[in-house]
């Protein structure tokens, strides 16, 4: 395995222009840091900035962080039943097309770039930890806090690697020589890898402050929440209950009153957000690489996005159908194509664009005339994570980024993890209560309005008012709620894998979608293979046999 910053920390940790908004990570050009600077607090703080700066997936001067996106939209949405790749046909970013059709191999550009981005972050965190321990000028409280921050970031990057590739090498701050980076991805078992990830988050649960003046930095509750996520992925339900309770009972978090308001730059460090990747534009950084560079292919084109006619991450018909509700406001769940007159969960029109429904704050309704390659990818477009082209938060020149943060964990996550853990331990009533908290926000919040006034669709959503008939029924409700709440946020595929349902759900999805999208006829999800991406072949080659390929690639 080859890591790009093992030989010259001063070169790659200069970080002179990796700025993040809300006044965090705004550093003037610094040039290379000397040994003397790296021995003092002021110099080390610059190195710490560098560890944060790669959270958005941008690791070099190529504007292709969409191959290593922080949001995991290609790894977590396009590979699921929620989304099509989109863009200008199957040849546009064909590497992602291969991910969508499960024809990807070990030469995949995206598998390579994501691997590189995560290990870049890990190595920067490791180097920062070593420097923090040795530096002068720190009081011991701040020293411990900064180490915990770097361990949190390391845990975050390892979490991404674990859920995407499964079998990964583990490298910490004790790595001393170049050859120490060529380690096997089979040295640690899955249980041991998870324990390492847990330990990094556990460190923050006692050392990190309850609040941070700079919202980019994790808090004690960020650590508890990420630890809860690690427990959920391992089915450690009792531990997950403990961790989520810490956040719910002691953290100052709420669900934003209006679902759509959560996804606006004005609110993106609000009280629903537990940990986020910070984005910034017009901050003096070259090429606006501090913006949402990994998601820059999202603008849908048409008259309002001049020059940015990309149209990637297109909602699937299956996802659209999942928002249909009964007259009582509960999910229908039959995958019959949605009609304009059907009742729908109001989150549908905050999440995705439908013909004839107003689009953000634009003065006209969405039309399929705006979108790219209608014949291949259908009539729906992303809405939830787009910034209005009328907004100053969207950059009108290449690379067309915006400064909407990417929410790694929000409070709704924690509520639904608490519900899941409760249901899995037999407490379906507690699970129902937490699911209802999320549904209540969707019910009571603002609905999309017609340009002439009044609801833009038949919005009907209700809480589950009677106890679930069984644990299986409760789990079905929980799984659907996660899908409806977090659609197109990069989580769906990983949920299906951890639930052990990926092969069944995706192949059932493909059986129907192949009748609508001819390019999917080659797609088949292979159990025991496609749950994880391949280990990049060039990394295997560089490791001189230390790295082993995932099964069936």
């Amino acid at each position: 395995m080859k890591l790009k910053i093992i030989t010259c920390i001063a070169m790659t940790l200069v970080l002179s222009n990796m700025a993040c908004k809300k006044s965090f990570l705004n550093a003037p050009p610094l040039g290379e840091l000397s040994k003397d600077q790296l021995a003092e607090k002021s110099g080390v703080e610059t190195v710490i900035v560098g560890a944060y700066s790669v959270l958005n997936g941008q690791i070099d001067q190529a504007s292709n962080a969409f191959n290593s996106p922080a949001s995991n939209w290609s790894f977590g949405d396009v590979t699921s039943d929620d989304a099509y790749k989109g863009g200008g046909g199957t040849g546009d970013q064909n590497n992602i097309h291969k991910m969508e059709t499960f024809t990807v191999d070990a030469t995949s550009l995206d598998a390579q770039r994501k691997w590189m981005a995560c290990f870049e972050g890990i190595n920067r965190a490791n180097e920062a930890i070593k420097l923090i321990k040795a530096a002068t000028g720190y009081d011991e409280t701040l020293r411990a806090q900064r180490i915990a921050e770097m361990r949190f970031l390391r845990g975050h990057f390892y979490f991404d690697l674990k859920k995407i590739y499964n079998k990964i090498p583990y490298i910490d701050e004790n790595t001393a020589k170049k050859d120490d980076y060529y380690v096997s991805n089979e040295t640690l078992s899955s249980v041991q890898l998870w324990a390492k990830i847990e330990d990094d988050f556990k460190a923050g649960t006692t050392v990190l402050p309850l609040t941070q003046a700079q919202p980019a930095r994790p808090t004690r509750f960020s650590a508890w929440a990420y630890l809860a996520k690690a427990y959920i992925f391992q089915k450690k339900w009792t531990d997950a209950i403990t961790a989520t309770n810490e956040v719910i009972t002691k953290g100052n978090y709420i669900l934003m009153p209006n679902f759509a308001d959560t996804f606006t730059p004005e609110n993106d460090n609000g009280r629903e957000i537990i940990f986020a990747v910070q984005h910034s534009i017009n901050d003096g950084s070259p090429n606006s690489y501090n913006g949402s560079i990994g998601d820059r292919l999202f603008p849908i084109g048409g008259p309002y996005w001049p020059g940015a006619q990309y149209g990637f991450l297109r909602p699937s018909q299956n996802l659209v159908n999942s928002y249909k509700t009964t007259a009582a406001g509960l999910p229908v769940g039959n995958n019959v194509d949605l009609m304009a007159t059907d009742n729908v969960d109001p989150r549908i029109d905050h999440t995705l664009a439908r013909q004839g429904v107003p689009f953000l704050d634009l003065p006209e309704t969405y039309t399929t005339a705006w979108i790219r390659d209608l014949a291949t990818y259908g009539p729906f477009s992303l809405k939830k994570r787009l910034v209005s082209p009328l907004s100053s938060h969207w950059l009108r020149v290449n690379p067309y980024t915006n400064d909407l943060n990417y929410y790694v964990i929000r409070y709704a996550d924690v509520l639904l993890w608490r519900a899941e853990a409760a249901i899995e331990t037999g407490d379906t009533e507690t699970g129902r209560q937490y699911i209802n908290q999320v549904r209540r926000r969707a019910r009571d919040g603002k609905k999309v309005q017609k340009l002439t006034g009044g609801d833009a669709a038949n919005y009907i959503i209700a809480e589950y008012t009677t106890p679930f008939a069984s644990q299986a029924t409760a789990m079905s409700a929980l799984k659907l709620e996660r899908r409806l709440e977090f659609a197109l946020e990069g989580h769906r595929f990983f949920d299906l894998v951890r639930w052990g349902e990926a092969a069944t759900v995706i192949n059932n999805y493909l059986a129907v979608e192949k009748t609508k999208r001819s390019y999917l006829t080659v797609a088949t999800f292979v159990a025991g293979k496609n749950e994880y991406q391949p280990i990049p072949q060039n990394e295997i080659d560089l490791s001189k046999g230390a790295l082993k390929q995932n099964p069936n690639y």
Side-chain angles (χ1 to χ4, degrees), residues 377-399:
Y377 296 113
F380 307 108
S381 292
L382 174 71
K383 182 187 287 187
K384 177 190 281 184
R385 288 166 50 207
L386 280 180
V387 171
S388 169
L390 306 180
S391 169
S392 61
H393 294 277
W394 182 65
L395 190 69
R396 290 170 173 78
V397 297
N398 191 59

Side-chain angles (χ1 to χ4, degrees), residues 109-152:
L109 174 63
D110 291 71
Q112 168 66 14
R113 294 290 298 185
K114 186 67 178 181
W115 181 279
M116 289 170 57
C118 287
F119 274 108
E120 177 83 359
I122 288 165
N123 200 47
R124 290 190 185 199
N126 285 338
E127 295 298 336
I129 290 170
K130 287 190 283 190
L131 292 169
I132 296 165
K133 289 179 177 179
T136 61
Y138 279 101
D139 70 68
E140 294 312 307
T141 298
L142 183 60
R143 189 191 308 273
Q145 178 182 319
R146 290 292 190 258
I147 291 172
E149 287 180 25
M150 294 300 96
R151 292 190 66 181
F152 179 96

Side-chain angles (χ1 to χ4, degrees), residues 304-486:
Y304 294 101
W305 282 271
Q309 297 179 346
Y310 298 126
F312 280 73
L313 190 58
R314 300 276 284 282
S316 70
Q317 182 69 58
N318 186 284
L319 174 63
V320 172
N321 296 342
S322 72
Y323 285 96
K324 192 187 312 181
T325 60
T326 67
L330 297 178
V332 172
N334 61 10
N335 197 29
V336 173
D337 286 0
L338 182 70
M339 304 295 290
T341 55
D342 285 332
N343 301 325
V344 288
D345 183 318
R347 286 173 290 190
I348 187 173
D349 289 327
H350 297 305
T351 300
L352 55 92
R354 297 191 294 152
Q355 179 86 359
V357 176
F359 193 96
L360 302 176
D361 60 350
L362 301 187
E364 58 184 296
T365 60
Y366 171 80
T367 170
T368 55
W370 295 356
I371 65 176
R372 195 176 179 196
D373 206 340
L374 174 65
T376 302
Y377 296 113
F380 307 108
S381 292
L382 174 71
K383 182 187 287 187
K384 177 190 281 184
R385 288 166 50 207
L386 280 180
V387 171
S388 169
L390 306 180
S391 169
S392 61
H393 294 277
W394 182 65
L395 190 69
R396 290 170 173 78
V397 297
N398 191 59
Y400 305 108
T401 55
N402 64 65
D403 63 7
L404 176 65
N405 291 349
Y406 173 65
Y407 312 136
V408 179
I409 300 176
R410 53 189 180 91
Y411 189 50
D413 266 312
V414 176
L415 295 176
L416 293 182
W417 290 334
R418 180 66 180 87
E420 185 173 352
I423 292 166
E424 289 285 4
T425 54
D427 186 0
T428 60
E429 184 57 22
T430 294
R432 183 174 71 92
Q433 293 172 12
Y434 281 109
I435 292 170
N436 279 342
Q437 282 193 43
V438 175
R439 292 183 67 80
R440 192 177 307 133
R441 189 258 296 271
R443 182 195 68 190
D444 296 342
K446 292 180 181 177
K447 316 299 190 294
V448 173
Q449 300 292 291
K450 299 176 183 177
L451 296 177
T452 56
D455 289 352
N458 298 326
Y459 299 125
I460 301 178
I461 183 173
E463 299 178 35
Y464 293 97
T465 57
T466 59
F468 292 121
S470 65
Q471 188 179 42
T473 302
M475 275 305 299
S476 293
L478 179 281
K479 291 172 181 178
L480 179 56
E481 199 62 32
R482 273 200 61 83
R483 186 184 194 190
L484 300 174
E485 178 71 15
F486 294 102

Side-chain angles (χ1 to χ4, degrees), residues 77-84 97-103 316 318 335 483 493 496 502-527 530:
D77 291 324
V78 172
T79 54
S80 79
D81 52 348
D82 275 4
Y84 315 128
H97 167 74
K98 289 180 178 179
M99 292 167 63
E100 181 181 4
T101 55
F102 305 103
T103 56
S316 70
N318 186 284
N335 197 29
R483 186 184 194 190
F493 179 78
L496 292 175
T504 299
V505 170
I506 292 174
N507 282 327
N508 287 343
Y509 156 77
L510 289 172
V512 177
E513 292 291 328
K514 287 176 182 181
T515 67
K516 308 174 189 293
R517 309 281 170 251
S518 60
Y519 75 91
L520 289 173
T521 55
V522 300
T524 300
F525 186 101
V526 178
N530 294 127

